[in-house]
Amino acid sequence: MPESYDVVVIGAGPAGYVAAIRAAQLGQKTAIVDKQWLGGVCLNVGCIPSKSLLKNAEVAHTLRERGKEFGFSFENLKLDYSVALKRSRQVSDRLTKGVGFLMRKNNITVHMGTARLTAKDSLAVVDKDGKVTELKAGNIILATGASAIVPAAWKMDGQKVLTYLEAILQEKLPKSVVIIGAGAIGMEFATVWNSYGVEVTVVEMLPHILPLEDEEAASEVAKAFTKRGVKILAGHKVG
């Protein structure tokens, strides 16, 4: 027999888990489904760990480039990026566990697996072991988020050619890197890597970096990155 709920949310990222909590607070019997993480990309491999790495990058940049200004001097400054990564994972894990606590607190049933709609009020959830759980719901909320689009001709090996997912989890820094896309994610990686001394080139198809932001503001940000040694190729395409 299928498990019955008033509301089933597909996707446990910031949109999904907040929707599930609100539904439960309004007295709805609620379940949430995610194929990989509570907290979604944001808490696990996106916004939260990237901000942790940016804090480390700020400190690294200050020590490398502005030490005299702040009264620091070093003979052999050593920056261990693996420690920065470890700290980012600890921050992420702590917040992810917090989402799990909120699910329990609000009596929300969690199903980890891939969801597939089978009817307007039904879905099947397949877990990592292949077990199928049938769910029925009066209301189904789709909060599935987004994923990176990879051109079919590109060979993604997770080492030389990689997406944000591999990039945010790697312990070793590249000597040089080309970042395709100068949106928020691309420029965050540019900041982190450049702060640790990596040679960074950013390629953006649209006329300026941060294309969703104000052009004048983006221009000032581009000047700051150029001053730091980041090469920016705006208005360029990658073949």
Side-chain angles (χ1 to χ4, degrees), residues 38-239:
L38 283 178
V41 166
C42 180
L43 267 65
N44 289 273
V45 290
C47 318
I48 299 304
S50 70
K51 301 307 176 288
S52 174
L53 291 173
L54 284 169
K55 178 59 180 178
N56 272 83
E58 179 186 13
V59 175
H61 176 71
T62 299
L63 295 177
R64 289 182 63 248
E65 304 295 339
R66 303 178 63 190
K68 291 183 180 179
E69 179 183 344
F70 286 93
F72 305 138
S73 61
F74 311 91
E75 291 186 0
N76 294 297
L77 175 62
K78 182 180 180 182
L79 301 175
D80 190 341
Y81 184 75
S82 67
V83 176
L85 177 69
K86 181 179 178 181
R87 191 177 79 87
S88 76
R89 300 318 308 158
Q90 290 171 339
V91 171
S92 176
D93 290 345
R94 183 171 68 249
L95 293 181
T96 302
K97 289 176 181 176
V99 175
F101 168 76
L102 290 174
M103 297 300 99
R104 294 189 297 273
K105 178 182 177 182
N106 289 279
N107 297 315
I108 298 166
T109 303
V110 176
H111 292 276
M112 299 306 296
T114 301
R116 179 174 60 86
L117 295 173
T118 55
K120 66 179 182 179
D121 62 348
S122 303
L123 59 151
V125 180
V126 182
D127 69 13
K128 63 180 181 180
D129 297 320
K131 179 184 176 182
V132 179
T133 302
E134 300 287 342
L135 308 180
K136 290 187 70 70
N139 300 278
I140 298 173
I141 299 175
L142 301 180
T144 53
S147 58
I149 296 176
V150 180
W154 293 10
K155 182 180 178 181
M156 306 298 295
D157 60 8
Q159 296 180 359
K160 294 287 187 179
V161 183
L162 58 162
T163 69
Y164 77 91
L165 179 59
E166 294 86 12
I168 206 165
L169 294 175
Q170 65 180 1
E171 293 187 10
K172 295 182 179 179
L173 291 167
K175 291 183 178 180
S176 62
V177 63
V178 175
I179 299 173
I180 301 171
I185 295 172
M187 298 316 293
E188 283 186 339
F189 279 117
T191 302
V192 172
W193 287 333
N194 169 260
S195 296
Y196 278 85
V198 176
E199 181 184 335
V200 178
T201 301
V202 180
V203 182
E204 172 55 53
M205 179 177 67
L206 295 175
H208 62 80
I209 68 168
L210 301 174
L212 298 181
E213 309 303 328
D214 177 81
E215 184 175 353
E216 184 176 355
S219 177
E220 292 302 313
V221 174
K223 290 177 184 177
F225 273 100
T226 300
K227 186 176 180 180
R228 289 178 54 157
V230 175
K231 186 176 182 180
I232 295 176
L233 300 176
H236 287 65
K237 294 182 179 181
V238 176

